[in-house]
Amino acid sequence: MLRIEHLGIAVKELEKSIPLFEQLLNTPCYKTEKVDTEGVNTAFFQTGESKIELLEATKEDSPIQKFVDKKGEGIHHIAFEVENIEAEMKRLSALGFELLNTVPKNGADNKLVCFLHPKTTNGVLIELCQEKR
Ligand code: ZN
């Protein structure tokens, strides 16, 4: 894996969290994007070579809504950038890691993504992401 591409943080309201993180990180939010298939609104901040992604649920059955209801706001996932997402999915699956999607799907910020089930990764939701080319 190349680097930590971003940390995903689940929040209740982007409207409140964007200004908070702008102050915290001392950098403006450079992009917001709705990902309909995931039921989320996202907001991105650049911090050095990595990013912070804030996630807000757009519907009741969104995974982010379920997460916030259960655990409250907080770190939701760690995303690693990979060179070749399909090769990495194959490698991890062969090692026994459970993939939450069997083909790469479209994520925010021009990425192909795949998630690993937290039960096979010590409770941490892991996202693999590859820049779309
Ligand atoms: Zn993410």
Side-chain angles (χ1 to χ4, degrees):
M1 311 217 183
L2 300 174
R3 61 174 175 136
I4 294 179
E5 212 280 335
H6 64 267
L7 277 185
I9 299 176
V11 304
K12 288 180 184 162
E13 292 175 62
L14 280 187
E15 200 185 320
K16 287 184 180 161
S17 295
I18 288 174
L20 186 144
F21 274 83
E22 285 180 334
Q23 285 188 321
L24 177 70
L25 302 170
N26 199 21
T27 190
C29 168
Y30 71 89
K31 179 195 233 179
T32 58
E33 186 178 345
K34 190 173 185 190
V35 185
D36 272 324
T37 49
E38 301 294 309
V40 295
N41 278 324
T42 63
F44 287 90
F45 304 83
Q46 190 74 46
T47 54
E49 68 166 13
S50 301
K51 296 166 192 160
I52 297 292
E53 173 186 36
L54 302 181
L55 303 132
E56 165 199 74
T58 56
K59 51 184 185 183
E60 276 305 305
D61 63 346
S62 158
I64 294 300
Q65 189 60 51
K66 288 176 194 156
F67 180 91
V68 169
D69 288 346
K70 208 169 142 193
K71 300 185 176 175
E73 295 177 300
I75 293 181
H76 178 258
H77 64 270
I78 301 177
F80 293 98
E81 183 176 19
V82 298
E83 188 66 39
N84 179 334
I85 195 165
E86 283 173 359
E88 203 60 23
M89 287 166 69
K90 221 178 193 177
R91 183 182 77 83
L92 293 168
S93 168
L95 290 171
F97 292 97
E98 188 180 324
L99 308 181
L100 288 177
N101 45 297
T102 51
V103 289
K105 56 183 181 178
N106 291 315
D109 209 26
N110 194 42
K111 298 283 194 296
L112 287 172
V113 304
C114 175
F115 287 92
L116 304 187
H117 198 294
K119 79 180 177 197
T120 58
T121 54
N122 285 175
V124 182
L125 180 61
I126 303 283
E127 175 185 352
L128 308 175
C129 63
Q130 178 205 303
E131 194 81 26
K132 277 191 214 165
R133 308 181 261 257

